Amino acid sequence: RPLSQPECVDGVTWESRTCADPVDRLCTPCSAECVASSTYESAVCSVHSDLICLPFTHQIRLLMRMEISLASFILAKQLDFTNAVKASTPGALEVTILSITPVKRRLLATSIDIDTQILFGEEVTALEGSSTLSDPGALDAAVSAASLPTTEVTTTPFVEIFCSLTPQCRVRNKKKSRMSYKLAGPPWTAKTCGSCLFKTNKETLVLEREGDCAHNCVGALDLSYPCMDYLGVAAGVFDNLPLVTNLSMSGNDVMGFPVGVFDGLSSEGAVVDLTCTEVTCVPPAPVNKPLTYAESLAPFTRVTFVLPKGMDPTDKCKHVTNCTRGDERGCDFWINREGLLSRGGDCFYKCLEVDLRDKGVRMLPHMPITVFGGMRLIRIIHFDTDLQLIPTRQFAIDDIMGRQLTLHRWPNASWTFLGKAWFTRPLPDRWSPNQEFNQ
């Protein structure tokens, strides 16, 4: 049969099905344009293929100073400026002006600071662009060709991982431990702020930090899901961040925090977003030390928490215990008003034994929130005799498979996981890891 479909039109339709016995050619309209500041065109729509949009993965934030007044920097000059920056930066796919601030010199403002965002599709090209912009004269030729005033890069160009996804709540599987979640792959498990790198440890699944960014991690620090994906926060990860005023961990399966983890945020006040997390009580907030008698009467709480939906803002976390060895820190247990246990910090290779007797612990959460999930060294946990134990719902077999774990209660029956199953067993009032290993 002859073709009944006309030829596809370049840039309008593309041939999604070629003519072959027994089907005719099929021309499909080109997909919509890529989303600005989120994706870029890696291939245009032609007769043989559809438009392909890929996400930006890296960015460079720069502060540039231009010798011009704010009133003179009209829209046309702003467009010339972004084109000049793009032309001067190898691999740059999109350049955006985020803000313009006049710089006052004596009485007149003859200069402006331009906060500029440069987006890239690959880390290799972003690093190349950063290296180029580190040269003091990198912009001179393009700026001069655009008839723009002298422009100077005033900050060090750092390559940052870029994510434009909207924060959302994780969909949880109540039949499995959260430790069995498959975390998102690169680059969504790392993010930069200034000269710091925040990343998810692939083994412990907790948030860690590399570098010191006390002077260049400023304002909002967005570590929300799905752009970031982690199950806990290591001790010290937010230390010495005095310029961070907004911190978001929304959507991540964090159930608690190590002691003092928020003490390093802005002393002027910071907001911490914990919506869609698994916290069950309000973490302790740092309080400024009073300098006057009036301040001592009304101490200033430095951190305000945005809590999960339906959580009582007056239900403060009570510290129960930690289980570190020597000078180690960062693995802490908490309870809420009802005595529900939670855990914070990095406990992966800590805690051989945890004693929760006479601490007010009355309940353990059920899967997927397993308090002791991912604690690879844990061998014995001591509980009060009246605590209700349902090991198959409060402990995930995937977390302890191939190991021995004893849940010690006295005089009630204790439980031991050995191999692949739980067994009840009577144990005396005193029971230690040494006795366990000798059995």
Side-chain angles (χ1 to χ4, degrees):
R1 290 179 300 167
L3 289 170
S4 60
Q5 287 277 353
E7 291 187 0
C8 302
V9 180
D10 192 18
V12 179
T13 59
W14 66 285
E15 195 174 279
S16 60
R17 187 178 67 200
T18 58
C19 179
D21 189 25
V23 295
D24 197 358
R25 171 198 291 134
L26 180 63
C27 292
T28 302
C30 293
S31 299
E33 295 181 354
C34 300
V35 180
S37 301
S38 178
T39 60
Y40 67 96
E41 287 186 8
S42 67
V44 298
C45 183
S46 65
V47 172
H48 302 292
S49 64
D50 194 9
L51 171 71
I52 299 177
C53 297
L54 295 179
F56 294 113
T57 61
H58 292 78
Q59 69 172 357
I60 295 176
R61 289 280 299 274
L62 286 176
L63 201 62
M64 304 189 191
R65 181 161 295 180
M66 181 181 288
E67 300 296 327
I68 189 174
S69 67
L70 181 60
S72 302
F73 195 52
I74 58 176
L75 190 60
K77 288 188 180 294
Q78 293 179 29
L79 181 60
D80 291 340
F81 168 78
T82 56
N83 289 335
V85 173
K86 186 175 180 179
S88 303
T89 310
L93 297 172
E94 185 174 308
V95 178
T96 305
I97 296 175
L98 300 179
S99 65
I100 306 171
T101 307
V103 180
K104 291 187 177 181
R105 294 183 176 178
R106 296 180 182 177
L107 298 178
L108 299 176
T110 57
S111 302
I112 56 174
D113 280 342
I114 309 171
D115 186 2
T116 310
Q117 179 190 56
I118 309 172
L119 296 176
F120 301 85
E122 297 178 352
E123 183 179 12
V124 173
T125 55
L127 292 172
E128 185 181 353
S130 173
S131 177
T132 300
L133 291 171
S134 298
D135 182 355
L139 298 174
D140 291 351
V143 167
S144 177
S147 301
L148 293 170
T150 303
T151 303
E152 176 188 3
V153 177
T154 58
T155 56
T156 303
F158 288 105
V159 175
E160 302 180 350
I161 294 169
F162 174 78
C163 177
S164 61
L165 299 178
T166 304
Q168 56 186 264
C169 298
R170 180 197 287 277
V171 177
R172 295 170 172 88
N173 186 343
K174 295 184 178 181
K175 296 182 180 180
K176 292 187 176 181
S177 162
R178 65 194 194 122
M179 297 302 296
S180 66
Y181 290 162
K182 292 182 179 179
L183 300 191
W188 313 129
T189 52
K191 191 169 188 177
T192 48
C193 184
S195 50
C196 283
L197 172 67
F198 294 88
K199 64 179 184 178
T200 303
N201 185 299
K202 294 180 181 179
E203 185 176 30
T204 64
L205 308 185
V206 302
L207 181 70
E208 298 177 339
R209 184 183 100 189
E210 293 179 1
D212 182 7
C213 49
H215 302 294
N216 55 16
C217 185
V218 182
L221 176 56
D222 187 358
L223 301 174
S224 59
Y225 176 84
C227 286
M228 289 295 291
D229 200 354
Y230 49 91
L231 304 182
V233 175
V237 74
F238 302 129
D239 283 358
N240 198 23
L241 296 178
L243 302 180
V244 173
T245 55
N246 287 274
L247 169 63
S248 177
M249 289 180 278
S250 174
N252 285 286
D253 268 9
V254 179
M255 73 166 100
F257 302 94
V259 172
V261 71
F262 301 115
D263 292 358
L265 300 180
S266 174
S267 60
E268 301 300 319
V271 176
V272 176
D273 186 356
L274 300 178
T275 55
C276 290
T277 62
E278 294 292 350
V279 296
T280 56
C281 51
V282 183
V287 178
N288 276 358
K289 294 181 179 179
L291 301 177
T292 65
Y293 176 73
E295 290 179 358
S296 66
L297 297 178
F300 172 55
T301 302
R302 288 167 38 201
V303 173
T304 302
F305 295 103
V306 182
L307 301 172
K309 191 174 182 179
M311 184 175 158
D312 185 354
T314 65
D315 193 352
K316 307 293 183 181
C317 292
K318 178 184 176 183
H319 189 254
V320 173
T321 186
N322 58 44
C323 56
T324 55
R325 297 173 293 178
D327 295 330
E328 290 180 342
R329 66 187 181 106
C331 180
D332 296 278
F333 292 86
W334 309 82
I335 55 172
N336 66 2
R337 185 184 295 151
E338 303 299 323
L340 179 65
L341 188 67
S342 58
R343 187 191 89 206
D346 179 5
C347 305
F348 200 76
Y349 286 124
K350 300 173 182 175
C351 311
L352 184 68
E353 180 179 12
V354 179
D355 192 348
L356 298 173
R357 291 172 292 191
D358 301 322
K359 300 290 196 309
V361 179
R362 295 192 290 271
M363 293 182 286
L364 299 181
H366 291 185
M367 286 194 290
I369 305 304
T370 53
V371 175
F372 301 95
M375 296 179 65
R376 295 306 171 92
L377 297 184
I378 192 73
R379 291 295 179 268
I380 296 181
I381 309 169
H382 303 278
F383 293 109
D384 287 329
T385 186
D386 58 348
L387 182 137
Q388 185 180 12
L389 277 177
I390 310 176
T392 55
R393 297 186 64 187
Q394 297 160 336
F395 294 82
I397 291 179
D398 291 344
D399 291 340
I400 52 180
M401 181 67 72
R403 296 187 288 123
Q404 182 170 337
L405 173 64
T406 295
L407 311 180
H408 177 223
R409 293 189 305 172
W410 184 87
N412 286 358
S414 300
W415 288 84
T416 292
F417 183 87
L418 185 60
K420 297 182 179 180
W422 289 98
F423 304 92
T424 57
R425 59 189 292 203
L427 291 177
D429 182 21
R430 295 183 180 275
W431 194 251
S432 69
N434 290 333
Q435 292 172 289
E436 190 71 21
F437 292 141
N438 291 331
Q439 291 295 305

